[in-house]
Amino acid sequence: MYSIRLWAARYARLLELTYRAVEPVIIKLQPLWKSVGYARAEKPVASLEQACKGLLFDCQMCGQCILSSTGMSCSMNCPKNLRNGPCGGVMQNGNCEVEPDKRCVWVEAWEGSQRMKDSDAIQVVQLPVDHRLQGTSSWLRVARQAAERRESLK
Amino acid sequence: MTSRLTIPDNTQAPPAERHGNVGHLERVLRSGQFAVTAELAPPDSADPRDVHARAQLFAGHVDAMNATDGSGANCHMSSVAMCALLAREGHETVMQISCRDRNRIAIQGDVLGASALGIRNLLCLTGDGVQVGDHPEAKPVFDLDSLSLLEIVAGLRDKHAFASGRSLTSAPQVFLGAAANPFAPPFAFRPHRLAKKIAAGAQFIQTQYCFDLPRFQDFMHRARDLGLVEKCFILPGVGPLASARTAEWMRRHVPGVHIPDEVIERLKGAKNQKAEGRDICIEMIQQLREIEGVSGVHIMAHRQEASVPEIIQRAGILGERMP
Ligand code: SF4
């Protein structure tokens, strides 16, 4: 929902902290994911993720979440799908050129990022979207990548 | 009887060898001279003579002509074809590429083709939304954004590889540009966004129309603080306004264009609004030139292309130079 999405960017700091608390839990649940099997865990976890993040951020389930780099304002809601910052068409009142009655997601993102501890994350250049990941869980991907990293260090 | 075809041997050396590795625009900028580029709208025509007629207006006056890529989401001749026609005649062009109409496969193919055709300068843009143009019912693509586009093209050139990692037998030789709009919110993010574009590979920047000097000075101030002006050439955009009415229309309808009230008031008060619009543009060029870190100007004289030589001459920015 649009108003909740705006709220989320306004409370970016709080959500950042929540995220930081939740992420290790998902990573800790690693043995569970492994025993269930990633493929079988995918569907229920993705549904859960969609429910939570759909409500809070209007998440589009791109599968490669960058919320922590975008001030908790999901950039997949930008009509041009910009992942790296606002286009030049933002109106003087901070609204979107394509959807003039909505705030530019990047205006929200900038303000949100300034409230976050890691306010510099917004300056990282994001890679092009991998469209194959659409609809998949980025939580599970993060967990899996963390586990693989740990494995490779062993 | 079988006729024997003789294939004439007119294969030319590849463009890189013909013109050396550095294009004219890049050479002018690197030598520290004040560069002038101008926007050239591709025609709604399939006749090359229409392209040449337009380019003739600028020839000998500008360092490079920007061929727009469906600007304002309106359909015109493609920028790659336009630049190829002009390159053949020895003109220096900046080929604009927008992410709106093509995905990464089509764009990378166009970049290789453009370089093969002798096009030296590319300007990577996100592009306007389809809703403002003449085909609002079209499906917008936006597979990439301007930053990932820059990164991919820089990869073609420097890593000799497609975005997929597959390698090229010959890399495109291109001078990479990007756009900036210091006049749209969130203002505090704009210099950082410029930094991101430079990190992704931008070597020169052309900006949206500058009518608000204090705002631009502020932007440049922050860009200097971030150490960006040493890393890329910045060419602010300028243009003559035809009348107070056009200015008001542009302000309302062209996304990203910001025209302060003072400019509109000044036009309203003038006897000859068109001449006043040109005077404002010339004054703006002269003031921009004084700003540290400004390497040139980019003139966008929509529907007033014929006035570009006069503006350049009266602004006195070329000195003795003949581009
Ligand atoms: S960045 Fe992707 S995963 Fe994260 S909220 Fe937006 S659509 Fe969902």
Side-chain angles (χ1 to χ4, degrees):
Chain A
M1 238 165 52
Y2 182 57
S3 53
I4 301 186
R5 186 212 294 181
L6 295 185
W7 174 90
R10 230 144 271 160
Y11 287 87
R13 180 70 197 270
L14 176 75
L15 288 164
E16 182 188 28
L17 292 174
T18 319
Y19 249 69
R20 286 198 178 170
V22 171
E23 207 180 278
V25 175
I26 296 172
I27 297 175
K28 275 236 176 66
L29 288 175
Q30 182 58 28
L32 175 69
W33 310 134
K34 214 165 179 180
S35 68
V36 178
Y38 280 101
R40 244 186 301 159
E42 177 62 47
K43 233 182 163 175
V45 177
S47 309
L48 183 69
E49 184 170 338
Q50 185 155 30
C52 300
K53 284 162 71 180
L55 178 72
L56 279 173
F57 312 109
D58 282 341
C59 169
Q60 306 294 316
M61 290 301 281
C62 72
Q64 46 220 294
C65 198
I66 54 167
L67 275 176
S68 53
S69 308
T70 60
M72 295 289 166
S73 166
C74 170
S75 71
M76 299 313 278
N77 289 308
C78 160
K80 300 185 186 176
N81 283 351
L82 295 180
R83 302 267 286 185
N84 280 292
C87 73
V90 183
M91 302 201 296
Q92 290 300 310
N93 63 2
N95 283 14
C96 171
E97 68 161 283
V98 183
E99 298 173 342
D101 48 349
K102 285 192 177 147
R103 296 271 288 166
C104 162
V105 300
W106 281 101
V107 169
E108 292 296 317
W110 173 252
E111 290 169 2
S113 75
Q114 295 315 98
R115 295 187 189 105
M116 283 165 69
K117 206 156 177 213
D118 189 7
S119 57
D120 286 347
I122 199 165
Q123 312 203 11
V124 177
V125 178
Q126 298 292 337
L127 299 173
V129 175
D130 182 341
H131 292 281
R132 290 169 300 186
L133 304 179
Q134 176 69 42
T136 64
S137 164
S138 40
W139 285 349
L140 217 49
R141 182 159 301 103
V142 168
R144 188 176 201 168
Q145 281 163 355
E148 278 167 5
R149 230 172 301 130
R150 227 173 319 146
E151 288 293 307
S152 70
L153 288 180
K154 266 182 201 163
Chain B
M1 203 183 105
T2 53
S3 66
R4 282 184 51 207
L5 280 173
T6 48
I7 299 167
D9 179 26
N10 59 358
T11 41
Q12 296 164 325
E17 278 150 55
R18 255 184 307 156
H19 312 297
N21 269 326
V22 177
H24 173 73
L25 178 64
E26 187 174 356
R27 216 172 316 134
V28 167
L29 287 168
R30 289 203 188 285
S31 69
Q33 300 178 86
F34 196 77
V36 181
T37 58
E39 200 140 288
L40 195 62
D44 296 337
S45 147
D47 188 341
R49 283 172 300 186
D50 290 333
V51 171
H52 293 132
R54 285 174 187 225
Q56 225 38 59
L57 287 172
F58 294 164
H61 301 285
V62 303
D63 292 304
M65 313 176 193
N66 272 53
T68 54
D69 180 14
S71 83
N74 291 309
C75 208
H76 305 290
M77 182 190 283
S78 73
S79 59
V80 64
M82 172 112 165
C83 289
L85 286 167
L86 293 175
R88 222 158 57 179
E89 304 283 306
H91 296 298
E92 177 94 349
T93 58
V94 176
M95 177 179 134
Q96 301 194 176
I97 314 174
S98 129
C99 299
R100 181 193 55 235
D101 308 323
R102 278 158 295 167
N103 70 4
R104 64 194 86 181
I105 301 174
I107 289 178
Q108 291 180 89
D110 279 352
V111 169
L112 295 189
S115 181
L117 289 162
I119 298 164
R120 288 327 195 94
N121 313 297
L122 301 183
L123 187 78
C124 299
L125 302 170
T126 297
D128 299 301
V130 293
Q131 83 290 346
V132 297
D134 63 348
H135 292 70
E137 73 283 15
K139 179 178 180 181
V141 180
F142 297 117
D143 180 31
L144 303 174
D145 62 20
S146 55
L147 265 117
S148 44
L149 171 58
L150 278 167
E151 218 175 16
I152 286 178
V153 180
L156 290 171
R157 181 190 59 194
D158 304 333
K159 296 186 194 147
H160 297 220
F162 289 112
S164 66
R166 191 154 54 81
S167 54
L168 304 170
T169 45
S170 174
Q173 296 293 330
V174 286
F175 187 46
L176 268 183
N181 188 354
F183 314 102
F187 301 115
F189 190 19
R190 296 290 167 181
H192 296 290
R193 174 132 163 99
L194 173 61
K196 280 181 91 163
K197 289 196 171 180
I198 295 170
Q203 297 168 292
F204 70 97
I205 300 290
Q206 293 173 326
T207 81
Q208 181 56 276
Y209 282 111
C210 179
F211 293 110
D212 185 342
L213 197 65
R215 174 126 269 156
F216 185 72
Q217 282 166 329
D218 182 56
F219 173 79
M220 288 301 291
H221 183 80
R222 289 167 194 246
R224 285 195 299 269
D225 282 351
L226 292 169
L228 304 179
V229 302
E230 292 85 31
K231 294 184 191 142
C232 76
F233 301 103
I234 298 176
L235 289 77
V238 291
L241 292 164
S243 66
R245 266 193 44 208
T246 358
E248 268 166 352
W249 185 90
M250 270 175 75
R251 176 156 83 167
R252 221 164 311 126
H253 297 280
V254 185
V257 173
H258 164 59
I259 305 174
D261 294 334
E262 303 92 77
V263 173
I264 293 184
E265 290 309 316
R266 184 170 159 190
L267 285 168
K268 268 193 193 143
K271 258 210 204 93
N272 182 342
Q273 298 200 354
K274 207 163 184 176
E276 191 74 8
R278 281 199 292 269
D279 289 348
I280 294 175
C281 177
I282 291 164
E283 286 166 32
M284 185 57 74
I285 295 175
Q286 288 165 337
Q287 287 165 326
L288 288 168
R289 192 191 184 180
E290 301 303 317
I291 300 174
E292 192 190 332
V294 167
S295 303
V297 280
H298 176 55
I299 306 176
M300 296 174 277
H302 184 55
R303 294 222 183 104
Q304 292 198 64
E305 282 84 355
S307 69
V308 167
E310 184 207 324
I311 290 173
I312 295 170
Q313 202 222 338
R314 283 182 48 211
I317 40 179
L318 286 180
E320 300 295 295
R321 206 157 67 77
M322 271 278 288

